[in-house]
Amino acid sequence: MSNYHIKHLEEYFQVYRKSIENPESFWEEIAEEHFIWRKKWNKVLAWDFSQPKVTWFEGAQLNITENCIDRHLATRGNKTAILFEPNNPNEPAEHISYKQLYDRVNKFANVLKDEGINKGDRVCIYLPMIPELAIAVLACARIGAIHSVVFAGFSSNALATRINDSDCKMVITSDGSFRGAKIIDLKSIVDEALESCDGVSTVLVVKRTQCEIQLKEARDKWLQPLLDMASPERIAEVMDAEDPLFILYTSGSTGMPKGMVHTAAGYMVYTAYSFKNAFQYREDDIYWCTADIGWITGHSYIVYGPLANGATTVMFEGVPSYPDFGRFWQIVQKHKVNQFYTAPTAIRALAKQGLDMVEKYDLSSIKVLGSVGEPINEEAWHWYNDNIGKKNAPIIDSWWQTETGGIMISPIPYVTPTKPTYATLPFPGIQPCLMDEDNNELIGNRVNGRLCIKFPWPSMARTIWGNHQRYKETYFSSFQDMYFTGDGALRDEVGYYRITGRVDDVIIVSGHNLGTAPIEDAVNEHPAVAESAIVGFPHDVKGNALYGYVILKDSGESRNQINLRKEINQIITEHIGPIAKLDKIQFTEGLPKTRSGKIMRRILRKIAHKKTTDLGDTSTLLNPEIVESIIKGSVDF
Ligand code: WTA
C-alpha cells in the first residue's frame, strides 16, 4: 500500500499510527516511491534535539529541480506548470508548460553560472510575483546555489540587512513592480540597499514595468539579453540530502531577522507529500495559492510542493482590490480554479465588500479552500465557507511556520471533518504536544498550553544561518527535547487542535510576522523619541494591528503630534517596510517597568485592548502610578 495519498478518515488514522510507530520506514517508503534520486540514503533519520542536530536521508543525492521539472517531461511536457495571471486583467495570462519551464530554468541557471555563481553561493532574489521569480528560485536550485528570497515589499534597509547576513553575491531584481494601480520602483530600492552591501558584485535586472532606471556599470545587467544567448540545457548539480536549499528570513521577538535554513531532501519529500494531501490535488486540477513567493507559503505551496507533484500552479502578480474587490473571484472563474489557498486577513477584507462582488462570478470549480498565516476567526470562517465554498468545499485551516517548512496541523479535505477555527489534526509524521509553563506535558483532551513538537519531521529548518546558538535558544531551550513553536494551542474533547496565537513578542499583522524589537529600534531612531514599546491589539481586517507607546525626550515637546506620528511611521517604513507601520501612537510620560527594568508589556497590551479593568497585579512595578496616566492618555484618540 502506498501511504502517499490519504483518501478517507480510517486510512488517515492508520497512516498516522504507522508514521508515529515507525517513522523511518514510513518516510522511507514515500521517498522511495515518489521521487527520483541520484543516490539513495544510508540512513533515513538521525537526530538529537539537545544539540539540536537533525538529518534526513543522510548519504542520499538528488536535485530538487529534477523532481519538480525533468521527471514530468515525458508525461506532462505540455501541461501547464505555472499559470501566470498579471496585475492588469487586460494583459493575457501566460501558460508556461513543464517543457517551457525546463528550458527557462536551464537558461537562467546557465546565466547564473556564467556570472560566477557556484554551488553553495547565496543569491538574493527581490522580485515581484512574475514568472521570473519562480524561475530564478528553481535556477538557483538547479546549480546548487542557495536562494534567499526577500519579499519585495521590504524596505532598502531590511533588504540590506538580509543580503549582508547571508553574504549574498548577487541580487536578482526588476526595473519595477505593478501593484494594483501603483508602480513601485524596485531597482532604486536595491540601489539604496547595495550602498551598504559590499559583497554583491552582480545585479540581474528583469524588465517588467519599463520604468526608466539607472544601470550601474560593471554591476548591473539586463537579464533578457543574457537569457537570449544561454543554452536551454543544463545538467542539474548533484546535491547531498542535507545541503542547504534556501534561506528564508522570519522575524524573531528580538534583534535581527532569523535566516531559517532548509535543506534539499527532507524539504522536498515533506512539501510534496503535504501538498498532495492538504489539497487533495488530482491531475488536471488548477491550484491557486495567493501568497507571495517572498514568504514560506509561496516557497512550499506555489513553487516546490505543487511542481513536485506535476501540478498546475497559479501565480498572481496583483492585489485582491484591483481593479476592484472582485478580482480573486474573477480569476477563480477565468481559470476554473479547483483549490484556493489564502490568508484570513484577505478573507476579512473581501467579506467587508459585500456579496455582489462575489455573486457576479461562477465559483463552482472550487473543491477545496485553504487558510493560513494566522488564526481564522469564526465569522471569517463562515463567510468563506458559505459564500466562496457554497458549503460544499471543505476549508483547511492549516497551521505551520517558516521554520516547519510545510503544513503541520490541518484537516485533510474530504477526510477530516472540519470545525470552524480548528486546525484539527496533525499530519502524518507530526507529533504535537501541549506543555504547561513548568515543563509538564499536558496529557489527554480539553487542555490548553504551549504548542511543541516532540519528534523531527523531514522539512524542519536545520539551523539559523550563521547562528546555530540562536536556533537552539529560540526553539529548543524552552522545553527539554522539544521544538517550541512560539504558539499557544488547545486540544478539544476529540483531540482537535485550535491555535490560540503567539505567546511571545511576535505579532501577526495581516498574516505577516513582525517582531516588536526591530520596530521599537526604528521608532527610537527618531530624534525626538526617548523610548518606545510596541504591542498588538485586535483589528477587524488585519487580525492584529500595532500600538506604540512613545516617550518623547522633551516631555514638554510642543511639536505637532500629528506630524510626529507621521514621521515615526515614515522611519518604520524606511527601516522595515509599510507593513510594520503603527496604527496607533500614544505619547506617554513613562512605561510600566518591573524593578529589574523590564517593560511590563502585559499591562500595555491590556490597555491597547481597552481591558483596563483587569490589569492584574501591578504592585511589583517600579512606577505603578504611571499606569493610571497611560490609561487616561489612551482615550484621547
Ligand atoms: C501563525 C506561515 C493560526 C502562527 C505559514 C505561526 C497560524 C505563524 C496559522 C507562522 C493557522 C500560521 N492558525 N495561526 N492556520 N498558520 N499561523 O512563519 O502564529 O509566516 O507561528 O508561516 O503564523 O508564520 P509564518
Side-chain angles (χ1 to χ4, degrees):
M1 178 192 89
S2 167
N3 296 317
Y4 193 69
H5 187 188
I6 297 167
K7 299 189 195 66
H8 52 84
L9 192 58
E10 201 182 317
E11 191 184 359
Y12 162 78
F13 285 116
Q14 273 172 15
V15 168
Y16 186 75
R17 196 172 319 118
K18 182 171 170 190
S19 77
I20 301 309
E21 285 170 2
N22 210 335
E24 296 196 32
S25 72
F26 175 78
W27 289 113
E28 179 159 45
E29 207 175 299
I30 289 172
E32 187 101 50
E33 283 177 21
H34 296 279
F35 301 90
I36 49 172
W37 303 87
R38 293 290 190 95
K39 179 171 167 280
K40 293 274 166 73
W41 43 91
N42 310 320
K43 189 162 176 43
V44 177
L45 169 65
W47 67 291
D48 174 359
F49 275 179
S50 72
Q51 297 288 325
K53 177 149 174 69
V54 175
T55 59
W56 282 93
F57 308 110
E58 187 79 68
Q61 292 186 323
L62 75 156
N63 188 293
I64 195 168
T65 67
E66 291 185 334
N67 283 278
C68 289
I69 309 172
D70 304 41
R71 68 163 158 159
H72 304 309
L73 295 178
T75 50
R76 303 184 175 107
N78 295 321
K79 175 175 176 176
T80 301
I82 295 177
L83 202 176
F84 172 62
E85 174 66 29
N87 177 62
N88 177 349
N90 301 319
E91 192 183 319
E94 190 182 344
H95 292 253
I96 302 171
S97 69
Y98 274 93
K99 176 71 183 85
Q100 290 165 332
L101 185 63
Y102 174 84
D103 290 352
R104 289 177 69 173
V105 168
N106 281 336
K107 283 181 174 220
F108 207 135
N110 283 320
V111 169
L112 295 178
K113 272 295 205 191
D114 287 346
E115 295 298 325
I117 301 297
N118 291 310
K119 181 174 178 175
D121 288 343
R122 273 80 61 207
V123 173
C124 173
I125 304 176
Y126 186 73
L127 279 172
M129 280 287 286
I130 54 178
E132 285 77 4
L133 170 51
I135 292 167
V137 160
L138 293 162
C140 287
R142 188 93 177 153
I143 64 168
I146 302 169
H147 56 78
S148 167
V149 182
V150 176
F151 171 60
F154 274 117
S155 70
S156 58
N157 272 298
L159 174 62
T161 306
R162 287 159 176 76
I163 291 172
N164 286 331
D165 182 70
S166 49
D167 216 355
C168 294
K169 275 173 88 170
M170 175 189 270
V171 177
I172 303 170
T173 189
S174 65
D175 49 356
S177 85
F178 293 121
R179 274 189 84 69
K182 284 192 269 187
I183 295 184
I184 295 155
D185 184 0
L186 283 193
K187 178 60 169 51
S188 63
I189 299 176
V190 171
D191 288 341
E192 227 177 286
L194 293 189
E195 281 172 22
S196 51
C197 303
D198 293 338
V200 174
S201 47
T202 315
V203 178
L204 297 180
V205 188
V206 179
K207 196 169 261 186
R208 175 60 184 145
T209 53
Q210 320 285 334
C211 298
E212 280 269 327
I213 60 158
Q214 301 287 328
L215 289 190
K216 186 169 169 197
E217 226 189 299
R219 189 193 69 183
D220 303 352
K221 295 173 186 171
W222 288 112
L223 176 68
Q224 195 56 48
L226 302 176
L227 289 174
D228 291 342
M229 289 184 306
S231 153
E233 292 298 335
R234 171 100 223 157
I235 294 176
E237 188 77 34
V238 178
M239 305 299 287
D240 289 336
E242 286 293 335
D243 278 341
L245 173 64
F246 65 85
I247 300 167
L248 184 62
Y249 286 88
T250 186
S251 303
S253 32
T254 54
M256 290 275 293
K258 298 170 288 189
M260 305 312 306
V261 177
H262 283 283
T263 57
Y267 177 81
M268 171 181 78
V269 169
Y270 194 79
T271 53
Y273 175 77
S274 54
F275 172 78
K276 178 76 179 171
N277 288 293
F279 298 101
Q280 290 286 328
Y281 184 85
R282 311 271 164 145
E283 196 67 45
D284 301 327
D285 282 349
I286 308 289
Y287 162 84
W288 180 22
C289 164
T290 70
D292 192 290
I293 294 175
W295 311 113
I296 192 69
T297 307
H299 281 60
S300 302
Y301 300 113
I302 296 178
V303 182
Y304 289 115
L307 296 178
N309 283 283
T312 297
T313 176
V314 175
M315 259 184 92
F316 174 46
E317 184 184 25
V319 293
S321 56
Y322 179 81
D324 60 42
F325 280 97
R327 187 67 195 277
F328 273 5
W329 320 127
Q330 177 254 333
I331 296 173
V332 168
Q333 171 180 289
K334 177 174 171 190
H335 296 301
K336 301 196 168 52
V337 169
N338 301 112
Q339 290 91 358
F340 177 77
Y341 193 29
T342 197
T345 186
I347 299 168
R348 289 188 296 262
L350 295 171
K352 278 203 147 181
Q353 301 304 316
L355 283 178
D356 45 330
M357 282 295 172
V358 179
E359 284 164 356
K360 277 208 271 201
Y361 300 101
D362 175 8
L363 306 181
S364 60
S365 56
I366 289 182
K367 297 193 284 191
V368 175
L369 292 174
S371 169
V372 62
E374 55 180 314
I376 179 166
N377 51 307
E378 187 125 14
E379 205 182 335
W381 194 99
H382 284 294
W383 186 87
Y384 200 31
N385 184 52
D386 297 355
N387 300 301
I388 308 305
K390 319 285 181 198
K391 299 192 171 145
N392 231 340
I395 296 177
I396 62 147
D397 176 0
S398 59
W399 172 83
W400 59 294
Q401 310 178 294
T402 306
E403 295 86 338
T404 70
I407 293 172
M408 302 288 279
I409 305 181
S410 170
I412 295 177
Y414 301 100
V415 171
T416 320
T418 59
K419 175 174 176 183
T421 76
Y422 280 74
T424 75
L425 297 173
F427 254 63
I430 307 305
Q431 301 191 31
C433 63
L434 298 176
M435 303 294 290
D436 71 12
E437 282 172 44
D438 305 320
N439 218 341
N440 302 311
E441 182 174 349
L442 300 164
I443 306 292
N445 292 339
R446 292 181 196 271
V447 286
N448 193 337
R450 302 192 165 210
L451 179 61
C452 293
I453 316 283
K454 290 200 235 191
F455 194 83
W457 63 101
S459 64
M460 62 191 293
R462 302 295 195 260
T463 190
I464 292 174
W465 183 264
N467 199 345
H468 195 68
Q469 187 57 28
R470 186 173 180 200
Y471 178 68
K472 180 176 174 172
E473 276 161 21
T474 311
Y475 304 106
F476 295 90
S477 302
S478 306
F479 301 97
Q480 202 185 347
D481 276 332
M482 305 250 173
Y483 166 82
F484 175 45
T485 63
D487 283 315
L490 60 82
R491 199 163 47 225
D492 77 357
E493 60 287 353
V494 298
Y496 273 16
Y497 287 88
R498 177 182 201 217
I499 313 301
T500 48
R502 300 291 309 185
V503 293
D504 55 11
D505 285 334
V506 171
I507 303 171
I508 305 194
V509 179
S510 299
H512 303 314
N513 293 5
L514 298 171
T516 50
I519 309 175
E520 287 163 5
D521 291 346
V523 173
N524 298 348
E525 295 269 312
H526 191 290
V529 172
E531 198 182 357
S532 61
I534 288 164
V535 297
F537 72 101
H539 185 281
D540 62 351
V541 174
K542 300 187 205 179
N544 295 293
L546 299 177
Y547 192 123
Y549 297 88
V550 174
I551 305 178
L552 297 174
K553 281 183 184 154
D554 172 4
S555 57
E557 178 70 65
S558 54
R559 291 171 61 175
N560 180 326
Q561 294 204 340
I562 296 175
N563 283 348
L564 266 177
R565 289 191 175 99
K566 275 196 195 137
E567 287 164 20
I568 287 171
N569 270 329
Q570 183 56 31
I571 292 184
I572 293 174
T573 305
E574 283 161 18
H575 276 71
I576 299 158
I579 50 179
K581 284 206 276 194
L582 307 181
D583 268 40
K584 289 190 179 172
I585 299 177
Q586 176 178 350
F587 296 105
T588 165
E589 301 280 302
L591 295 167
K593 292 205 175 156
T594 61
R595 284 174 208 281
S596 59
K598 270 186 81 170
I599 297 173
M600 241 209 220
R601 288 169 194 277
R602 176 175 62 76
I603 293 176
L604 295 176
R605 254 180 239 128
K606 289 245 164 92
I607 297 173
H609 280 60
K610 299 205 183 312
K611 288 196 175 141
T612 48
T613 47
D614 158 37
L615 291 180
D617 183 12
T618 56
S619 63
T620 56
L621 287 178
L622 191 64
N623 51 350
E625 70 291 345
I626 197 71
V627 175
E628 212 35 55
S629 126
I630 297 178
I631 293 173
K632 272 205 197 108
S634 73
V635 295
D636 287 354
F637 56 90

